[in-house]
Amino acid sequence: MKLNELKAGQSARVTSIGGEGALRQHFLDMGLIPGVEVTMIKLAPMGDPMELRLRGYELTLRLADAENIGIERTEAAAVKEQAKSARRPADHPGLGEEGKFHPKGTGDPLPEGTTLSFALVGNQNSGKTTLFNQLTGSNQHVGNFPGVTVDRKDGVIRGHADTSITDLPGIYSMSPYSSEELVSRDFVIQNKPKAIINIVDATNVERNLYLTMQLLEMNVPMVVALNMMDELTGNGGTVDINRMESMLGVPVVPISAAKNQGVDELVRHAVHIAKYQEKPLRQDFCGAQDHGGAVHRALHAVSHLVEDHAERAGLPVRFAASKLLEGDSHIEEQLALDQNEKEMVEHIALQMEAERGLDRSAAIADMRFEYIGRVCDACIIKPRESREHRRSEKLDRVLTGRTTAIPCFIGIMGLVFFLTFFLVGPFLQDLLAEGIGKLGELTERAMEAGHVNPAIQSLVLNGIFEGVGSVVSFLPLIVVLFFFLSLLEDSGYIARVAFVMDKLLRRIGLSGRSIVPMLIGFGCTVPAVMSTRTLPSDRDRRMTILLTPFMSCTAKLPIYSFFVSAFFPRRSWLIITGLYLLGIAVGILVALLYKKTLFTGEAVPFVMELPNYRLPSARNVLQLLWEKAKDFLQRAFSVILIATIVVWFLKSFDFRFNLVANSQDSILAAVAGLLAPLFKPVGLGDWRIVTSLISGFMAKESVVSIMQLLFAQGVERAITPVAAASLLVFSLLYTPCVAAIASIKRELGAKWAVYVVLWQCLVAWVAALIVRLIGLAL
Ligand code: GDP
Ligand code: MG
């Protein structure tokens, strides 16, 4: 039987994991290995993907991928009763403890003045960002990892000026699967942090420790931060911390990042192990007795075999050995084994497979999970299902229910939109506009009084104040929108949205997560592009960014309503809705084209955790708002400022660089005149229309106002209804405004930004031509 045949509520034992390569490894890393019990929870409302429960957490995967997984039916897994075991004293290594149990006075600390660099590593949703914000306060800055658009956050631990800590992207394993995982792994290997802070979700130790086991192999001083302890103890669970420390060989500190409990102790331990370079006491978790010891012998044999190569390549030996056995080609390359050694490794691996009865990746994953099982049995007492999980189940019955999921989604997004673009956003925008207006007036008066050169006056007032002002007026929208988005993301809802919408987006070569940026695109392309940061794959991210401009943003609405009421008053709603749908339709066509050309290959396999719903922490939300606002303002005052000044210059001067009184004589008009013949085929060959479209590049709202300025007796009289229809379609599809292009440039680079401008104009031109031809034929 295959996993995709399992019905809701049924349980099964996994017998085989088919497929190959990175995806298969990812399944194994997520704990989906032969022998594990899974329970099917439900299918997404559209029938794909499926939601599974295994190892105490929820996972989604597509039916097509589930087809590769062999199972045999079992009765519903009985809830394992765990008696509260009497506390046994455990030997406890005392790592990271200064003084009391573990005198370190004679130790060998790193020289004074060495910066203690930490890497914060953990699974997604384990509370990394929350902990990072607690540790650093506002001493942090956001950047990029070189070469990839993956956020990198660095900071200094509060009260320890000689430290630096980096928040790495969430990963489940040290096997490279997504660009995030590769980034995190490379960071640990290449940047050689002085110590690792491994954050582990105490409510799901079983899966979280899988990463821990691999981090221990890095042989770098490490401390485990056992997070979410509030949730565990709140449900009557406990952890035998000392025993866990002795079993893992590293300090374990129970904390609650959200409640700021235990964080100081964590810092003390972390600083201590980093300073004294106290390495993990164990790296060896394979037992000589487990299943005949096949894995144990193989790992040790390979370790000895490649010891010298690993040292030369700067890789931890044990890590190199286990990756080599798993068949990791990156590591194999770095080790530079000769032919003979490669063959020996292969022989050892084959022998292990034969003795263990599992293939190499599964055998090693199994060895890790087996040890984790022992740790959990010995240390964790988890007497009942948690309140949070029951709450999540109840919420999910509605939010991902067969009939309710999509209405809920539409309702929630509708509410977010309404609040952002119609209620709170415009209110803040007006406030800001008023402020900017006042400032402008003051400046004007000051400049008049100071008899400043009129050209400079015009630059400051018409160029900078108007241009940057119109862009800065986006700021309230961005802040409000990201406020809601971060609530949805941190609470765990966005993961559900991806689950519900995956089937739909898969058709056009994307995965469910892309739906959110696309929807935001209907509000404003700028935050839409900014929000693609959360997409897990580079390919999906880029494709999503290139598609969002097809979603008609709110700034185009004034253009539509002006022309529709002037030319087609009786069918206004029909036409405006039609324009929105046309944007979506063209977007879909372009997506299909991209799928065949620029972005061949599949969207990332959709293997994703559905975390319990959690209350987002206010601090995380505020921090994110601050980051986004700062990011946007930085752009407003660089790229956008320059573009504004250029357009202002073209609009205000003639070729002799004299200030023009009438924009008809400006360079812009001349350029528009030159471009006009290009627009003739689509029926928009008037320089005044071209001028307004060009200024629409600054802000779409200005298209109508500039047109009204240039057409003295009204545009309505000057163009035909067919031309108006072409103009509508052209405005729908042509290049996004400069603020959006600046966001795209930041995410994808200048080349892609230029590409978007040209490509959108081309698509718009073709579409407008088609509309004109149809219009003329009617
Ligand atoms: P990341 O994905 O690892 O960066 O995780 P986040 O820091 O974004 O946290 C995920 C969710 O867990 C957020 O909603 C947090 O508010 C919540 N969270 C983080 N730490 C704790 C904790 O100690 N206790 C509880 N109850 N929730 C937490
Ligand atoms: Mg995070």
Side-chain angles (χ1 to χ4, degrees), residues 528-552:
V529 169
M530 288 164 83
S531 71
T532 56
R533 278 283 162 128
T534 54
L535 295 184
S537 110
D538 221 35
R539 172 194 172 279
D540 285 21
R541 177 160 42 214
R542 293 204 292 174
M543 191 161 157
T544 309
I545 291 174
L546 296 183
L547 292 178
T548 42
F550 289 103
M551 310 298 131
S552 173

PDB file of all heavy atoms in Angstrom, residues 528-552:
ATOM      1  N   ALA A 528       4.254  43.597  -1.554  1.00  0.00           N
ATOM      2  CA  ALA A 528       4.127  42.249  -2.113  1.00  0.00           C
ATOM      3  C   ALA A 528       5.504  41.676  -2.400  1.00  0.00           C
ATOM      4  O   ALA A 528       5.819  40.548  -2.027  1.00  0.00           O
ATOM      5  CB  ALA A 528       3.287  42.279  -3.392  1.00  0.00           C
ATOM      6  N   VAL A 529       6.330  42.494  -3.036  1.00  0.00           N
ATOM      7  CA  VAL A 529       7.677  42.030  -3.356  1.00  0.00           C
ATOM      8  C   VAL A 529       8.476  41.830  -2.071  1.00  0.00           C
ATOM      9  O   VAL A 529       9.197  40.848  -1.903  1.00  0.00           O
ATOM     10  CB  VAL A 529       8.370  43.038  -4.294  1.00  0.00           C
ATOM     11  CG1 VAL A 529       9.839  42.718  -4.432  1.00  0.00           C
ATOM     12  CG2 VAL A 529       7.703  43.028  -5.661  1.00  0.00           C
ATOM     13  N   MET A 530       8.296  42.748  -1.128  1.00  0.00           N
ATOM     14  CA  MET A 530       9.027  42.610   0.137  1.00  0.00           C
ATOM     15  C   MET A 530       8.620  41.336   0.873  1.00  0.00           C
ATOM     16  O   MET A 530       9.435  40.723   1.557  1.00  0.00           O
ATOM     17  CB  MET A 530       8.774  43.832   1.023  1.00  0.00           C
ATOM     18  CG  MET A 530       9.462  45.099   0.530  1.00  0.00           C
ATOM     19  SD  MET A 530       8.787  46.597   1.288  1.00  0.00           S
ATOM     20  CE  MET A 530       9.667  46.640   2.828  1.00  0.00           C
ATOM     21  N   SER A 531       7.360  40.941   0.721  1.00  0.00           N
ATOM     22  CA  SER A 531       6.893  39.790   1.502  1.00  0.00           C
ATOM     23  C   SER A 531       7.321  38.457   0.909  1.00  0.00           C
ATOM     24  O   SER A 531       7.151  37.424   1.541  1.00  0.00           O
ATOM     25  CB  SER A 531       5.374  39.810   1.625  1.00  0.00           C
ATOM     26  OG  SER A 531       4.795  39.492   0.378  1.00  0.00           O
ATOM     27  N   THR A 532       7.901  38.467  -0.297  1.00  0.00           N
ATOM     28  CA  THR A 532       8.332  37.183  -0.858  1.00  0.00           C
ATOM     29  C   THR A 532       9.526  36.627  -0.103  1.00  0.00           C
ATOM     30  O   THR A 532       9.915  35.496  -0.310  1.00  0.00           O
ATOM     31  CB  THR A 532       8.745  37.312  -2.331  1.00  0.00           C
ATOM     32  OG1 THR A 532       9.754  38.305  -2.428  1.00  0.00           O
ATOM     33  CG2 THR A 532       7.587  37.694  -3.204  1.00  0.00           C
ATOM     34  N   ARG A 533      10.101  37.432   0.787  1.00  0.00           N
ATOM     35  CA  ARG A 533      11.222  36.960   1.594  1.00  0.00           C
ATOM     36  C   ARG A 533      10.931  35.658   2.334  1.00  0.00           C
ATOM     37  O   ARG A 533      11.835  34.916   2.671  1.00  0.00           O
ATOM     38  CB  ARG A 533      11.576  38.026   2.630  1.00  0.00           C
ATOM     39  CG  ARG A 533      12.440  39.099   2.083  1.00  0.00           C
ATOM     40  CD  ARG A 533      13.835  38.593   1.968  1.00  0.00           C
ATOM     41  NE  ARG A 533      14.620  39.395   1.077  1.00  0.00           N
ATOM     42  CZ  ARG A 533      15.799  39.918   1.390  1.00  0.00           C
ATOM     43  NH1 ARG A 533      16.290  39.734   2.583  1.00  0.00           N
ATOM     44  NH2 ARG A 533      16.462  40.595   0.495  1.00  0.00           N
ATOM     45  N   THR A 534       9.674  35.446   2.662  1.00  0.00           N
ATOM     46  CA  THR A 534       9.370  34.258   3.455  1.00  0.00           C
ATOM     47  C   THR A 534       9.233  33.000   2.605  1.00  0.00           C
ATOM     48  O   THR A 534       9.035  31.926   3.138  1.00  0.00           O
ATOM     49  CB  THR A 534       8.064  34.448   4.243  1.00  0.00           C
ATOM     50  OG1 THR A 534       7.046  34.810   3.317  1.00  0.00           O
ATOM     51  CG2 THR A 534       8.181  35.524   5.289  1.00  0.00           C
ATOM     52  N   LEU A 535       9.312  33.137   1.287  1.00  0.00           N
ATOM     53  CA  LEU A 535       9.173  31.930   0.453  1.00  0.00           C
ATOM     54  C   LEU A 535      10.422  31.064   0.591  1.00  0.00           C
ATOM     55  O   LEU A 535      11.534  31.565   0.577  1.00  0.00           O
ATOM     56  CB  LEU A 535       8.980  32.311  -1.015  1.00  0.00           C
ATOM     57  CG  LEU A 535       7.693  33.054  -1.333  1.00  0.00           C
ATOM     58  CD1 LEU A 535       7.567  33.296  -2.817  1.00  0.00           C
ATOM     59  CD2 LEU A 535       6.497  32.284  -0.841  1.00  0.00           C
ATOM     60  N   PRO A 536      10.202  29.764   0.696  1.00  0.00           N
ATOM     61  CA  PRO A 536      11.339  28.903   1.004  1.00  0.00           C
ATOM     62  C   PRO A 536      12.266  28.585  -0.173  1.00  0.00           C
ATOM     63  O   PRO A 536      13.349  28.090   0.055  1.00  0.00           O
ATOM     64  CB  PRO A 536      10.679  27.619   1.512  1.00  0.00           C
ATOM     65  CG  PRO A 536       9.336  27.622   0.909  1.00  0.00           C
ATOM     66  CD  PRO A 536       8.950  29.040   0.704  1.00  0.00           C
ATOM     67  N   SER A 537      11.872  28.857  -1.401  1.00  0.00           N
ATOM     68  CA  SER A 537      12.812  28.501  -2.466  1.00  0.00           C
ATOM     69  C   SER A 537      13.093  29.701  -3.362  1.00  0.00           C
ATOM     70  O   SER A 537      12.221  30.520  -3.627  1.00  0.00           O
ATOM     71  CB  SER A 537      12.276  27.330  -3.294  1.00  0.00           C
ATOM     72  OG  SER A 537      11.902  27.758  -4.583  1.00  0.00           O
ATOM     73  N   ASP A 538      14.317  29.763  -3.787  1.00  0.00           N
ATOM     74  CA  ASP A 538      14.763  30.874  -4.607  1.00  0.00           C
ATOM     75  C   ASP A 538      13.977  30.967  -5.907  1.00  0.00           C
ATOM     76  O   ASP A 538      13.580  32.038  -6.339  1.00  0.00           O
ATOM     77  CB  ASP A 538      16.239  30.647  -4.931  1.00  0.00           C
ATOM     78  CG  ASP A 538      17.014  31.922  -4.836  1.00  0.00           C
ATOM     79  OD1 ASP A 538      16.684  32.740  -3.969  1.00  0.00           O
ATOM     80  OD2 ASP A 538      17.942  32.089  -5.646  1.00  0.00           O
ATOM     81  N   ARG A 539      13.769  29.816  -6.515  1.00  0.00           N
ATOM     82  CA  ARG A 539      13.069  29.779  -7.778  1.00  0.00           C
ATOM     83  C   ARG A 539      11.647  30.319  -7.614  1.00  0.00           C
ATOM     84  O   ARG A 539      11.201  31.184  -8.375  1.00  0.00           O
ATOM     85  CB  ARG A 539      13.014  28.327  -8.279  1.00  0.00           C
ATOM     86  CG  ARG A 539      12.145  28.131  -9.476  1.00  0.00           C
ATOM     87  CD  ARG A 539      11.877  26.645  -9.689  1.00  0.00           C
ATOM     88  NE  ARG A 539      10.896  26.441 -10.736  1.00  0.00           N
ATOM     89  CZ  ARG A 539       9.594  26.550 -10.565  1.00  0.00           C
ATOM     90  NH1 ARG A 539       9.108  26.889  -9.395  1.00  0.00           N
ATOM     91  NH2 ARG A 539       8.771  26.345 -11.571  1.00  0.00           N
ATOM     92  N   ASP A 540      10.950  29.835  -6.602  1.00  0.00           N
ATOM     93  CA  ASP A 540       9.581  30.295  -6.362  1.00  0.00           C
ATOM     94  C   ASP A 540       9.561  31.780  -6.066  1.00  0.00           C
ATOM     95  O   ASP A 540       8.685  32.504  -6.507  1.00  0.00           O
ATOM     96  CB  ASP A 540       8.978  29.565  -5.159  1.00  0.00           C
ATOM     97  CG  ASP A 540       8.603  28.149  -5.520  1.00  0.00           C
ATOM     98  OD1 ASP A 540       9.154  27.645  -6.510  1.00  0.00           O
ATOM     99  OD2 ASP A 540       7.777  27.559  -4.809  1.00  0.00           O
ATOM    100  N   ARG A 541      10.558  32.221  -5.307  1.00  0.00           N
ATOM    101  CA  ARG A 541      10.586  33.621  -4.920  1.00  0.00           C
ATOM    102  C   ARG A 541      10.712  34.508  -6.146  1.00  0.00           C
ATOM    103  O   ARG A 541       9.984  35.468  -6.334  1.00  0.00           O
ATOM    104  CB  ARG A 541      11.756  33.853  -3.966  1.00  0.00           C
ATOM    105  CG  ARG A 541      11.914  35.284  -3.566  1.00  0.00           C
ATOM    106  CD  ARG A 541      12.725  35.421  -2.312  1.00  0.00           C
ATOM    107  NE  ARG A 541      13.872  34.530  -2.314  1.00  0.00           N
ATOM    108  CZ  ARG A 541      14.359  33.959  -1.239  1.00  0.00           C
ATOM    109  NH1 ARG A 541      13.809  34.160  -0.087  1.00  0.00           N
ATOM    110  NH2 ARG A 541      15.401  33.174  -1.319  1.00  0.00           N
ATOM    111  N   ARG A 542      11.634  34.118  -7.034  1.00  0.00           N
ATOM    112  CA  ARG A 542      11.856  34.959  -8.208  1.00  0.00           C
ATOM    113  C   ARG A 542      10.655  34.963  -9.129  1.00  0.00           C
ATOM    114  O   ARG A 542      10.230  36.002  -9.631  1.00  0.00           O
ATOM    115  CB  ARG A 542      13.096  34.475  -8.939  1.00  0.00           C
ATOM    116  CG  ARG A 542      14.317  34.719  -8.061  1.00  0.00           C
ATOM    117  CD  ARG A 542      15.547  34.822  -8.835  1.00  0.00           C
ATOM    118  NE  ARG A 542      15.863  33.538  -9.419  1.00  0.00           N
ATOM    119  CZ  ARG A 542      16.854  33.362 -10.268  1.00  0.00           C
ATOM    120  NH1 ARG A 542      17.576  34.384 -10.630  1.00  0.00           N
ATOM    121  NH2 ARG A 542      17.101  32.185 -10.757  1.00  0.00           N
ATOM    122  N   MET A 543      10.097  33.787  -9.321  1.00  0.00           N
ATOM    123  CA  MET A 543       8.945  33.708 -10.204  1.00  0.00           C
ATOM    124  C   MET A 543       7.776  34.505  -9.623  1.00  0.00           C
ATOM    125  O   MET A 543       7.087  35.230 -10.331  1.00  0.00           O
ATOM    126  CB  MET A 543       8.563  32.241 -10.383  1.00  0.00           C
ATOM    127  CG  MET A 543       7.569  32.008 -11.470  1.00  0.00           C
ATOM    128  SD  MET A 543       7.630  30.282 -11.959  1.00  0.00           S
ATOM    129  CE  MET A 543       6.013  30.091 -12.673  1.00  0.00           C
ATOM    130  N   THR A 544       7.580  34.404  -8.329  1.00  0.00           N
ATOM    131  CA  THR A 544       6.495  35.153  -7.691  1.00  0.00           C
ATOM    132  C   THR A 544       6.696  36.653  -7.851  1.00  0.00           C
ATOM    133  O   THR A 544       5.762  37.387  -8.179  1.00  0.00           O
ATOM    134  CB  THR A 544       6.421  34.796  -6.197  1.00  0.00           C
ATOM    135  OG1 THR A 544       6.396  33.388  -6.069  1.00  0.00           O
ATOM    136  CG2 THR A 544       5.196  35.380  -5.556  1.00  0.00           C
ATOM    137  N   ILE A 545       7.925  37.104  -7.650  1.00  0.00           N
ATOM    138  CA  ILE A 545       8.191  38.541  -7.778  1.00  0.00           C
ATOM    139  C   ILE A 545       7.853  39.011  -9.184  1.00  0.00           C
ATOM    140  O   ILE A 545       7.251  40.063  -9.379  1.00  0.00           O
ATOM    141  CB  ILE A 545       9.664  38.850  -7.453  1.00  0.00           C
ATOM    142  CG1 ILE A 545       9.928  38.642  -5.970  1.00  0.00           C
ATOM    143  CG2 ILE A 545      10.024  40.292  -7.844  1.00  0.00           C
ATOM    144  CD1 ILE A 545      11.377  38.778  -5.578  1.00  0.00           C
ATOM    145  N   LEU A 546       8.227  38.215 -10.183  1.00  0.00           N
ATOM    146  CA  LEU A 546       7.982  38.634 -11.556  1.00  0.00           C
ATOM    147  C   LEU A 546       6.498  38.596 -11.914  1.00  0.00           C
ATOM    148  O   LEU A 546       6.084  39.230 -12.877  1.00  0.00           O
ATOM    149  CB  LEU A 546       8.770  37.750 -12.529  1.00  0.00           C
ATOM    150  CG  LEU A 546      10.293  37.853 -12.387  1.00  0.00           C
ATOM    151  CD1 LEU A 546      10.973  37.001 -13.427  1.00  0.00           C
ATOM    152  CD2 LEU A 546      10.749  39.292 -12.524  1.00  0.00           C
ATOM    153  N   LEU A 547       5.715  37.864 -11.147  1.00  0.00           N
ATOM    154  CA  LEU A 547       4.285  37.784 -11.466  1.00  0.00           C
ATOM    155  C   LEU A 547       3.435  38.811 -10.725  1.00  0.00           C
ATOM    156  O   LEU A 547       2.373  39.201 -11.202  1.00  0.00           O
ATOM    157  CB  LEU A 547       3.758  36.377 -11.165  1.00  0.00           C
ATOM    158  CG  LEU A 547       4.299  35.287 -12.088  1.00  0.00           C
ATOM    159  CD1 LEU A 547       3.764  33.925 -11.678  1.00  0.00           C
ATOM    160  CD2 LEU A 547       3.936  35.558 -13.539  1.00  0.00           C
ATOM    161  N   THR A 548       3.895  39.262  -9.554  1.00  0.00           N
ATOM    162  CA  THR A 548       3.048  40.173  -8.770  1.00  0.00           C
ATOM    163  C   THR A 548       2.645  41.441  -9.522  1.00  0.00           C
ATOM    164  O   THR A 548       1.532  41.913  -9.319  1.00  0.00           O
ATOM    165  CB  THR A 548       3.691  40.595  -7.439  1.00  0.00           C
ATOM    166  OG1 THR A 548       5.059  40.862  -7.669  1.00  0.00           O
ATOM    167  CG2 THR A 548       3.555  39.522  -6.407  1.00  0.00           C
ATOM    168  N   PRO A 549       3.494  42.029 -10.391  1.00  0.00           N
ATOM    169  CA  PRO A 549       3.056  43.265 -11.033  1.00  0.00           C
ATOM    170  C   PRO A 549       1.810  43.091 -11.919  1.00  0.00           C
ATOM    171  O   PRO A 549       1.168  44.069 -12.253  1.00  0.00           O
ATOM    172  CB  PRO A 549       4.261  43.667 -11.901  1.00  0.00           C
ATOM    173  CG  PRO A 549       5.415  42.997 -11.282  1.00  0.00           C
ATOM    174  CD  PRO A 549       4.897  41.724 -10.720  1.00  0.00           C
ATOM    175  N   PHE A 550       1.469  41.851 -12.258  1.00  0.00           N
ATOM    176  CA  PHE A 550       0.264  41.664 -13.063  1.00  0.00           C
ATOM    177  C   PHE A 550      -1.006  41.813 -12.238  1.00  0.00           C
ATOM    178  O   PHE A 550      -2.092  41.951 -12.785  1.00  0.00           O
ATOM    179  CB  PHE A 550       0.283  40.292 -13.745  1.00  0.00           C
ATOM    180  CG  PHE A 550       1.293  40.214 -14.850  1.00  0.00           C
ATOM    181  CD1 PHE A 550       2.495  39.562 -14.671  1.00  0.00           C
ATOM    182  CD2 PHE A 550       1.053  40.827 -16.066  1.00  0.00           C
ATOM    183  CE1 PHE A 550       3.439  39.515 -15.673  1.00  0.00           C
ATOM    184  CE2 PHE A 550       1.987  40.791 -17.072  1.00  0.00           C
ATOM    185  CZ  PHE A 550       3.190  40.131 -16.881  1.00  0.00           C
ATOM    186  N   MET A 551      -0.858  41.748 -10.930  1.00  0.00           N
ATOM    187  CA  MET A 551      -2.022  41.948 -10.093  1.00  0.00           C
ATOM    188  C   MET A 551      -2.225  43.461  -9.996  1.00  0.00           C
ATOM    189  O   MET A 551      -1.339  44.186  -9.572  1.00  0.00           O
ATOM    190  CB  MET A 551      -1.796  41.362  -8.691  1.00  0.00           C
ATOM    191  CG  MET A 551      -1.286  39.931  -8.681  1.00  0.00           C
ATOM    192  SD  MET A 551      -2.441  38.802  -9.441  1.00  0.00           S
ATOM    193  CE  MET A 551      -1.368  37.902 -10.554  1.00  0.00           C
ATOM    194  N   SER A 552      -3.393  43.897 -10.375  1.00  0.00           N
ATOM    195  CA  SER A 552      -3.627  45.335 -10.484  1.00  0.00           C
ATOM    196  C   SER A 552      -3.612  46.002  -9.114  1.00  0.00           C
ATOM    197  O   SER A 552      -4.409  45.688  -8.250  1.00  0.00           O
ATOM    198  CB  SER A 552      -4.981  45.530 -11.142  1.00  0.00           C
ATOM    199  OG  SER A 552      -5.307  46.862 -11.127  1.00  0.00           O
TER     200      SER A 552
END
